Amino acid sequence: MKPFAYLRADTVADAVRACAAHPGAKFLGGGTNLVDLMKLGVETPGLLVDVSRLPLDRVTDTPEGGLRIGATVRNSDLAAHPAVRTRYPALSQALLAGASGQLRNIATTGGNLLQRTRCPYFQDTSKPCNKRAPGTGCPAREGTHRDLAVLGHSEECVATHPSDMAVALAALDADAVLEGPEGERTVPVTAFHRLPGDNPDADTVVRPGELVTEVLLPPLPDGTVSLYRKARDRASYAFALASVAAVLRVRDGRVEHAALAFGGLAHRPWRARAAEEILHGAPAGDATFLRAADAELAAARPLRDNAFKVRLARHLAVDALAELAART
């Protein structure tokens, strides 16, 4: 690990000011991903600005009936929060599906959103990688890519975003609040992460010096149910081969509201807009759910070894929607 300076910030303004004044500085929350990448030599910040003591560790109700989640709320605390478990079960289930109990006890909401891909070429500095070093190539396209993207990838990068939590937030229409040198702004979680295009080194739309301060969850109408399902190689903690977060409300046998997001398939949580368009107003049954899943996954472009992900995601989506429909 290369030497670095360390600063503990007392206020959000101090943290933003310090990070903006030192190009290449990084915010440090739980450090569960950043410190690992520093050990591997992938991340080499000259300054770590510790934000873990900032007063961003609360979950509170919003006047509209939603939730305001501070960026330093620990993943385990958020998963266990009564309001999250009862009003947003998909979020609680997604958090519990991610990492180990020890990691969830230290990982933060903001850090979870900002974690980087686990593509093996990205983590191995002896190998080329356009995400780590633009212009060097993407050996994953012809190499080891079983776990990598089938949707939205480019010639430059086939990495996947690893977060479970972000998939649930995308389906729940959450917003991320950012504080930066130019002030505060709000970004929908569905627009927070980027597709790789020709510059995959930029994972998100976060600007230099900007700090994630909180996540806002909108209220869900009465009768809305949600869940998160994840397929992985082992029962203990592992990243998703495919996952789905589903939100559904059915009235008189027809879908009144549906939101669907996939994880493990793309460079970002994949909001399934084509599927949702078919679901809205249609009979709430398996035929509709199959048609919706197929419409979304028709855009998939599997690589040599990961076509199974398309079938896996299809089954996950149909099963999740059928389970939710049976509850309403």
Side-chain angles (χ1 to χ4, degrees):
M1 185 182 293
K2 293 185 177 180
F4 58 89
Y6 171 85
L7 172 70
R8 177 176 293 166
D10 294 322
T11 67
V12 169
D14 286 348
V16 170
R17 191 179 304 114
C19 199
H22 294 80
K26 295 284 186 179
F27 295 117
L28 177 68
T32 56
N33 185 214
L34 175 59
V35 174
D36 279 350
L37 293 176
M38 291 173 66
K39 292 176 181 175
L40 293 170
V42 175
E43 294 277 11
T44 55
L47 171 66
L48 286 184
V49 180
D50 187 343
V51 297
S52 63
R53 306 286 180 92
L54 296 180
L56 301 172
D57 58 348
R58 303 292 176 83
V59 179
T60 56
D61 288 310
T62 65
E64 297 79 20
L67 284 183
R68 182 183 300 275
I69 303 164
T72 64
V73 173
R74 305 294 176 180
N75 287 180
S76 54
D77 293 335
L78 185 58
H81 194 282
V84 174
R85 293 179 62 187
T86 57
R87 290 150 57 183
Y88 306 96
L91 176 55
S92 180
Q93 293 161 3
L95 286 160
L96 293 174
S100 64
Q102 293 91 335
L103 288 169
R104 291 195 297 270
N105 286 341
I106 193 68
T108 64
T109 302
N112 194 319
L113 278 175
L114 292 166
Q115 63 180 303
R116 309 202 69 186
T117 183
R118 267 57 169 193
C119 174
Y121 300 97
F122 173 74
Q123 295 186 310
D124 184 348
T125 58
S126 71
K127 301 291 193 305
C129 171
N130 285 327
K131 177 174 281 298
R132 194 185 62 248
T136 58
C138 178
R141 291 195 65 86
E142 299 300 327
T144 302
H145 55 234
R146 173 180 177 269
D147 296 344
L148 301 182
V150 296
L151 286 166
H153 57 79
S154 72
E155 290 295 318
E156 303 297 318
C157 183
V158 294
T160 48
H161 183 68
S163 172
D164 296 290
M165 181 195 78
V167 179
L169 293 179
L172 292 166
D173 288 318
D175 291 325
V177 180
L178 304 168
E179 182 72 33
E182 298 174 355
E184 182 181 288
R185 66 188 180 112
T186 299
V187 178
V189 168
T190 51
F192 186 87
H193 302 94
R194 295 180 63 259
L195 291 180
D198 57 5
N199 62 324
D201 52 312
D203 289 341
T204 70
V205 298
V206 176
R207 299 166 184 162
E210 282 189 323
L211 173 68
V212 178
T213 57
E214 58 189 14
V215 169
L216 301 175
L217 279 171
L220 294 178
D222 290 344
T224 302
V225 289
S226 70
L227 63 73
Y228 182 78
R229 290 287 182 272
K230 174 178 179 178
R232 50 190 169 184
D233 277 328
R234 59 188 184 198
S236 62
Y237 71 95
F239 294 101
L241 294 169
S243 68
V244 64
V247 181
L248 192 71
R249 186 172 71 249
V250 175
R251 179 170 294 180
D252 299 329
R254 290 187 173 270
V255 176
E256 191 172 73
H257 172 78
L260 202 66
F262 288 111
L265 303 187
H267 206 251
R268 68 182 186 194
W270 188 270
R271 183 68 182 261
R273 303 289 187 187
E276 292 171 10
E277 187 172 336
I278 288 174
L279 290 168
H280 289 158
D286 284 353
T288 297
F289 302 152
L290 280 167
R291 191 157 56 90
D294 286 343
E296 189 66 45
L297 295 168
R301 292 179 292 127
L303 303 170
R304 182 193 62 232
D305 295 330
N306 66 3
F308 74 97
K309 282 190 161 197
V310 179
R311 299 189 298 275
L312 190 58
R314 179 176 186 258
H315 288 301
L316 283 171
V318 171
D319 287 351
L321 290 167
E323 181 175 335
L324 290 178
R327 294 186 199 169
T328 61

